[in-house]
Amino acid sequence: AQSVTQPDIHITVSEGASLELRCNYSYGATPYLFWYVQSPGQGLQLLLKYFSGDTLVQGIKGFEAEFKRSQSSFNLRKPSVHWSDAAEYFCAVGPAGGYQKVTFGTGTKLQVIP
Amino acid sequence: NAGVTQTPKFQVLKTGQSMTLQCAQDMNHNSMYWYRQDPGMGLRLIYYSASEGTTDKGEVPNGYNVSRLNKREFSLRLESAAPSQTSVYFCASSEEGGGRYEQYFGPGTRLTVT
């Protein structure tokens, strides 16, 4: 069965600092991989997704993620964090074929300090 | 386009009461989903509907029922609410099912069962 692990429950970074949020997945083949962001009191919004091609994926709001097959990882990065990036971030994995469900990680809450 | 809308935004129920959460999407999507979000648990799929006229159980279906009224609307019913159903409920939709397509989320319903 597919699964997603986000090992960091909570991360605090200073505004302007770089950010990396970790995501590890388990799946037999190459899956679809997603990062979603949830601002307080809101639903989830897609930041970026990966299936094939270039392993470095660019998303909205200046985020990028790198797919590393050998490490089963899909870490989210941003070079310089803004206070408005404070939110909860969810990694998700979806199977490439057939109708199966997307599995979400438990989320990483990002706090940005001035 | 309103995207995915949910009503109500907040609800307080007493144990044993029933209620229906409403969800509608205006993106002509085939697939719709109901999730619950609990602290430290991420999003867990309750039910999904791959297309109009079909529904299937997700990870945590006990205590819930759903109806895919038409292509636009997908409702979630709690027949006899329990305190364990206190949660934030999200409806989502996607163009098709499976792992390939981005899911679009509503703003959520915060439900408290006392």
Side-chain angles (χ1 to χ4, degrees):
Chain A
Q2 63 199 41
S3 66
V4 180
T5 302
Q6 293 181 249
D8 303 307
I9 297 171
H10 191 272
I11 282 183
T12 300
V13 299
S14 298
E15 191 168 14
S18 63
L19 171 70
E20 182 168 25
L21 302 182
R22 296 183 291 165
C23 172
N24 292 97
Y25 70 90
S26 173
Y27 184 68
T30 301
Y32 285 98
L33 293 161
F34 306 83
W35 275 100
Y36 285 85
V37 60
Q38 183 182 30
S39 298
Q42 303 293 317
L44 278 70
Q45 179 187 16
L46 182 73
L47 282 175
L48 48 80
K49 73 175 183 181
Y50 171 81
F51 175 59
S52 63
D54 193 343
T55 56
L56 187 62
V57 181
Q58 301 298 322
I60 62 171
K61 306 186 182 190
F63 285 92
E64 65 179 27
E66 186 171 13
F67 170 65
K68 293 185 177 179
R69 184 191 303 275
S70 61
Q71 298 176 21
S72 297
S73 70
F74 188 56
N75 294 349
L76 183 71
R77 302 194 296 245
K78 187 169 185 178
S80 176
V81 169
H82 188 262
W83 63 266
S84 60
D85 294 324
E88 192 158 18
Y89 292 80
F90 292 90
C91 183
V93 59
Y99 185 82
Q100 296 180 57
K101 301 168 285 296
V102 170
T103 300
F104 287 84
T106 52
T108 298
K109 190 164 285 190
L110 174 65
Q111 181 182 7
V112 180
I113 56 176
Chain B
N1 281 356
V4 179
T5 56
Q6 291 183 237
T7 55
K9 285 188 166 44
F10 301 93
Q11 183 71 48
V12 179
L13 291 178
K14 293 188 188 315
T15 297
Q17 287 184 319
S18 62
M19 77 162 295
T20 299
L21 282 64
Q22 307 286 355
C23 173
Q25 52 91 8
D26 62 2
M27 295 173 281
N28 202 35
H29 286 168
N30 285 309
S31 298
M32 298 185 73
Y33 314 81
W34 276 106
Y35 293 92
R36 60 177 289 172
Q37 184 179 34
D38 303 291
M41 305 287 287
L43 274 76
R44 292 183 292 169
L45 184 65
I46 305 172
Y47 270 94
Y48 65 96
S49 171
S51 60
E52 186 179 354
T54 68
T55 61
D56 280 290
K57 295 178 181 179
E59 183 184 354
V60 288
N62 291 346
Y64 305 95
N65 284 300
V66 290
S67 296
R68 182 76 183 265
L69 305 169
N70 47 55
K71 192 170 186 179
R72 289 188 64 247
E73 298 172 287
F74 188 39
S75 62
L76 178 72
R77 183 159 178 84
L78 286 70
E79 290 292 351
S80 178
S84 61
Q85 295 177 305
T86 293
S87 187
V88 181
Y89 291 85
F90 288 99
C91 177
S93 70
S94 64
E95 191 174 326
E96 298 289 344
R100 177 177 175 182
Y101 295 96
E102 171 185 358
Q103 293 188 21
Y104 293 80
F105 286 81
T109 295
R110 291 185 175 275
L111 175 66
T112 301
V113 183
T114 61

